[in-house]
Amino acid sequence: MSDKVAVLVAGSWGTALANVLAANELDVHIWSRSPEQVLEINEQHTNSRYLPGMALSSHLKATADMKEAVTGAAAVLIAAPSSAMREVCRQLKTCIEEDSIVIHATKGFETESLKRMSTVISEEISRNESSIVVLSGPSHAEEVIRQCPTTVVVASGDQKAAETAQDLFMNAYFRVYTNRDMIGVELAGALKNIIALGAGMSDGLGFGDNAKAALLTRGLAEISRIGVEMGANPLTFAGLAGVGDLVVTATSKHSRNWRAGFMLGEGKPLDEVLSSMGMVVEGIRTTKAAYAFSEKFGVQMPIANQLYHVLFEQRDPRNAVEALMGRNPKTEMETMPLQTWEQWHT
Ligand SMILES: NC(=O)C1=CN([C@@H]2O[C@H](COP(=O)(O)OP(=O)(O)OC[C@H]3O[C@@H](n4cnc5c(N)ncnc54)[C@H](O)[C@@H]3O)[C@@H](O)[C@H]2O)C=CC1
Ligand SMILES: O=C(CO)COP(=O)(O)O
């Protein structure tokens, strides 16, 4: 197998993951649509817009020519925002090698079609969806680039492809587990961003740790409910892509979703919040998708639904909290996904 790996695109996550691969002495070629960014990565070994103050491996090569990045690569890692995935894959289709494995690290949905990222990729590059690998888990780019200990999961319907991805990324500070529940890992990674927005909003409103714990726990319950309905293994939500990523995103100041939620909780309007971020905040689009999933599958997602009203219908966040707290009394167990591990396996 060639030791060349291509990474598409050079945002925070693509750059941090490319740096892990370069640390593993692979021949890493990162593609960016920005010639200025390519020049900066190649000459100064930095990506100051997305990872300010951090030095990148001098072995990392950048190019604005996707064909050059992808030709001869054993693996292609895509870390594009969900909104750009289809467009990036349309370009990739024209140059990808037949036998290179495709890994994606994007946490979101195509909002118009409600498709998962592996579906979008497989449609565009004409590959079987089960051959795609998704990389997810609690992993802020800002900490991965500093080589802080990090654990992630790679999931695929093709165990061999998942193991290849595991081998490519695994090192002393980046530990990789495999999982065969690609649907669950994709859903968990995307949906936790909604709860992180809510947790930020709760903090911005001045609420305390009780409210945050409630959001995380009840958030995980609704993510698991919809996930199981959409074909996921319920245990995936107890793993790195589920509770692991939920905790890190809903409690870390590195999180763009938490930060956006915090500003919204402080009363700033959505357009002002988004223009001040300068980076992708996937949870906004994902809230729209979750609202549609909740209707489509008839699954209650009270937190996502209230966030939808706040984000897109100008509901006051305090009214959203009142609506959540004032719902009909329930038993806790009736709100949990019913399938067990054994049922999922039959
Ligand atoms: N930053 C992080 O710590 C992590 C991010 N992710 C996920 O990775 C994905 C990407 O996020 P980030 O890298 O953080 O975003 P970012 O905002 O840091 O960078 C986005 C990059 O995408 C490029 N881009 C946007 N539209 C494009 C297009 N049409 N064609 C080519 N390039 C385009 C931008 O130029 C920029 O380089 C998201 O789904 C995010 O949820 C997942 C785990 C960690
Ligand atoms: O998914 C992430 C960490 O695992 C990154 O979250 P944010 O997009 O909120 O920064």
Side-chain angles (χ1 to χ4, degrees), residues 294-329:
S294 168
E295 299 231 307
K296 180 173 170 188
F297 291 95
V299 171
Q300 290 196 10
M301 300 186 73
I303 300 172
N305 285 4
Q306 287 302 327
L307 268 163
Y308 178 87
H309 297 311
V310 171
L311 294 173
F312 303 111
E313 294 173 348
Q314 282 74 48
R315 179 169 294 178
D316 185 318
R318 285 186 188 273
N319 293 345
V321 175
E322 273 169 31
L324 283 171
M325 295 300 285
R327 297 172 69 240
N328 287 340

Side-chain angles (χ1 to χ4, degrees), residues 9-14 31-34 37 49-50 79-84 87-88 91 105-108 137 139-142 192-193 245 256-257 278-280 282:
V9 310
S12 348
W13 197 216
W31 171 78
S32 166
R33 61 182 173 172
S34 156
Q37 199 179 33
R49 159 116 199 252
Y50 293 102
S82 57
S83 57
E87 187 187 330
V88 168
Q91 290 180 66
T106 299
K107 294 175 178 169
S139 47
H140 284 299
E142 294 83 351
K192 58 81 189 173
N193 284 334
D245 209 359
R256 284 83 44 95
N257 286 288
M279 288 189 205
V280 67
E282 290 277 17

Side-chain angles (χ1 to χ4, degrees), residues 53-316:
M54 297 312 302
L56 306 177
S57 162
S58 56
H59 300 298
L60 183 59
K61 302 171 197 83
T63 174
D65 178 351
M66 193 189 287
K67 188 167 194 287
E68 185 185 317
V70 162
T71 302
V76 177
L77 167 73
I78 315 173
S82 57
S83 57
M85 182 59 91
R86 199 172 279 282
E87 187 187 330
V88 168
C89 288
R90 271 191 193 138
Q91 290 180 66
L92 178 62
K93 183 190 169 83
T94 63
C95 50
I96 189 166
E97 306 280 355
E98 239 173 61
D99 55 353
S100 56
I101 69 161
V102 176
I103 307 162
H104 88 82
T106 299
K107 294 175 178 169
F109 301 98
E110 185 173 63
T111 33
E112 303 74 23
S113 68
L114 299 179
K115 287 177 178 163
R116 288 177 289 103
M117 288 296 107
S118 56
T119 312
V120 172
I121 298 168
S122 68
E123 283 175 0
E124 287 302 326
I125 65 169
S126 310
R127 291 267 180 106
N128 193 330
E129 190 177 318
S130 65
S131 72
I132 313 281
V133 182
V134 53
L135 183 152
S136 193
S139 47
H140 284 299
E142 294 83 351
E143 295 187 2
V144 171
I145 200 79
R146 287 171 43 222
Q147 307 198 345
C148 297
T150 298
T151 51
V152 296
V153 57
V154 284
S156 176
D158 178 346
Q159 179 66 11
K160 211 162 152 275
E163 283 168 9
T164 304
Q166 183 178 41
D167 283 349
L168 290 172
F169 283 99
M170 186 98 157
N171 66 28
Y173 64 89
F174 202 76
R175 182 167 173 77
V176 186
Y177 292 82
T178 62
N179 181 328
R180 64 184 180 84
D181 179 19
M182 186 170 68
I183 296 180
V185 169
E186 278 189 311
L187 292 178
L191 293 167
K192 58 81 189 173
N193 284 334
I194 304 172
I195 308 303
L197 269 173
M201 209 175 281
S202 172
D203 288 335
L205 284 164
F207 296 147
D209 298 336
N210 296 352
K212 182 92 73 76
L215 272 168
L216 263 72
T217 312
R218 299 309 307 158
L220 188 63
E222 73 181 55
I223 290 174
S224 311
R225 273 200 304 271
I226 191 72
V228 166
E229 197 62 35
M230 291 171 74
N233 179 340
L235 284 186
T236 296
F237 300 98
L240 289 169
V243 73
D245 209 359
L246 179 63
V247 168
V248 88
T249 316
T251 61
S252 168
K253 294 197 166 70
H254 292 309
S255 165
R256 284 83 44 95
N257 286 288
W258 181 89
R259 291 206 313 264
F262 187 83
M263 287 188 257
L264 290 166
E266 285 182 318
K268 299 204 171 76
L270 181 59
D271 51 354
E272 188 185 320
V273 169
L274 290 182
S275 58
S276 73
M277 297 296 298
M279 288 189 205
V280 67
V281 183
E282 290 277 17
I284 309 280
R285 285 163 53 84
T286 304
T287 302
K288 211 174 240 178
Y291 188 79
F293 287 143
S294 168
E295 299 231 307
K296 180 173 170 188
F297 291 95
V299 171
Q300 290 196 10
M301 300 186 73
I303 300 172
N305 285 4
Q306 287 302 327
L307 268 163
Y308 178 87
H309 297 311
V310 171
L311 294 173
F312 303 111
E313 294 173 348
Q314 282 74 48
R315 179 169 294 178
D316 185 318

